[in-house]
């Protein structure tokens, strides 16, 4: 991943920060400059809950080249109490045990390594709540 983009995404990538519209209360993740619902431009920063519910998922058998060493893996969309949906890899579970509706927790893990001497990218992944 491009280092500048990586740095720019740190607030939402590391702290799970979303933007809540000060006028209508709509929540966006990642942040937006203009509210999609009412056009307002002022937001407050809120933290997204660590636990969400799996709404849907798929199993990736033929990933992009950067993720070849992790194949096959599950990619899920989780809905959080604040109303936002986040897409991430589901880890620490056998693929055949992944179920829609299961409770998942956000954890920060290494996402990829940019070559032998390159930067390590970290981001969120979902793990089952036990
Ligand atoms: Zn709004």
């Amino acid at each position: 991943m491009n280092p500048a983009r990586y740095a720019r995404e740190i607030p939402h990538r590391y702290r799970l920060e979303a933007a809540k519209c000060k006028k209508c209360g709509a929540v966006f993740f990642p942040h937006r400059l203009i509210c999609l619902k009412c056009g307002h431009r002022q937001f407050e920063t809120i933290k997204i809950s660590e636990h969400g519910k799996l709404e849907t998922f798929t199993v990736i058998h033929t990933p992009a080249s950067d993720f070849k060493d992790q194949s096959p893996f599950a990619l899920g969309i989780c809905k959080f109490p604040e109303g936002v949906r986040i897409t991430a890899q589901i880890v620490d579970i056998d693929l055949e045990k992944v179920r829609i509706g299961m409770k998942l927790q956000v954890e920060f893990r290494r996402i990829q390594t940019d070559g032998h001497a390159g930067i390590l990218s970290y981001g969120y992944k979902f793990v089952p709540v036990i």
Side-chain angles (χ1 to χ4, degrees), residues 99-116:
R99 295 283 180 268
I100 289 171
M102 71 188 302
K103 204 171 172 187
L104 295 174
Q105 178 174 331
V106 178
E107 279 195 5
F108 295 91
R109 300 280 182 91
R110 191 174 74 196
I111 299 288
Q112 61 181 222
T113 307
D114 188 13
H116 179 66

Side-chain angles (χ1 to χ4, degrees), residues 46-95:
I46 62 166
K47 187 161 180 342
I48 296 172
S49 304
E50 285 180 20
H51 294 173
K53 194 173 160 187
L54 184 61
E55 285 202 324
T56 189
F57 71 97
T58 187
V59 175
I60 307 289
H61 292 274
T62 312
S65 57
D66 290 345
F67 298 93
K68 259 184 193 155
D69 59 332
Q70 300 174 43
S71 165
F73 62 86
L75 193 66
I77 297 176
C78 231
K79 187 173 182 184
F80 290 80
E82 294 76 17
V84 299
R85 289 179 174 83
I86 298 176
T87 303
Q89 187 177 350
I90 304 166
V91 295
D92 295 354
I93 184 172
D94 291 337
L95 293 178

